[in-house]
């Protein structure tokens, strides 16, 4: 059964840090591109960061570039989002996303985690 289980969200003061984690199972994690999205109340879903299966080419939204770092550990089926210098505008529900094909598969798959709340407030 496919699972993306997120953790690490919470309440933090401006300028603080959080590390989000996403534990993956039930699919060929090492062949999937992993992404973090976020959605604030009344706003559209926004792509925050993405990392290919090899982990060699991270991409970031301009709003988080220089503050957030996406990483993955293919031996543990884990993806992370290190968030530093947090701002109130970073407040949102953060979602873990996986896109790719299982070994030998022909259908592009897309999976989502349940979301974790990040609130940045004094």
């Amino acid at each position: 059964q496919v699972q993306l289980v997120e953790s690490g969200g919470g309440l933090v003061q401006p300028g603080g840090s959080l590390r989000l984690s996403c534990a993956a199972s039930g699919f060929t994690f090492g062949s999937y591109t992993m992404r973090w999205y976020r959605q604030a109340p009344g706003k559209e879903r926004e792509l925050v960061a993405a990392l290919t299966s090899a982990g060699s080419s991270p991409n970031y939204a301009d709003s988080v570039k220089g503050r957030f770092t996406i990483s993955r550990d293919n031996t543990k089926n884990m993806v992370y989002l290190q968030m530093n210098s947090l701002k109130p505008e970073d407040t949102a529900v953060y979602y873990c996303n996986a896109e790719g094909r299982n070994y030998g598969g022909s259908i592009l798959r897309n999976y989502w985690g349940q979301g974790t709340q990040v609130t940045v407030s004094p």
Side-chain angles (χ1 to χ4, degrees):
Q1 313 85 0
V2 172
Q3 288 190 84
L4 293 174
V5 181
E6 302 157 348
S7 61
L11 175 65
V12 66
Q13 295 182 358
S17 297
L18 285 173
R19 193 187 201 199
L20 305 183
S21 298
C22 177
S25 61
F27 63 99
T28 313
F29 178 83
S31 69
Y32 277 63
T33 293
M34 300 300 298
R35 298 183 176 95
W36 288 96
Y37 287 84
R38 68 185 182 188
Q39 188 165 25
K43 303 291 185 180
E44 292 186 351
R45 184 183 63 187
E46 175 189 21
L47 176 63
V48 176
L51 191 62
T52 58
S53 59
S56 59
S57 57
N59 290 294
Y60 301 96
D62 288 341
S63 60
V64 308
K65 196 170 298 181
R67 299 187 296 120
F68 290 11
T69 302
I70 187 172
S71 61
R72 66 192 295 161
D73 186 342
N74 287 349
T75 69
K76 298 179 179 179
N77 289 3
M78 296 286 292
V79 62
Y80 308 97
L81 186 68
Q82 179 66 47
M83 305 185 294
N84 298 326
S85 301
L86 283 162
K87 306 174 181 179
E89 50 263 44
D90 295 319
T91 296
V93 177
Y94 285 71
Y95 298 93
C96 179
N97 168 263
E99 181 183 276
R101 295 176 175 87
N102 292 336
Y103 179 78
S106 60
I107 301 174
L108 184 66
R109 304 289 186 180
N110 194 279
Y111 304 119
W112 292 89
Q114 80 286 354
T116 185
Q117 177 71 48
V118 172
T119 302
V120 185
S121 175

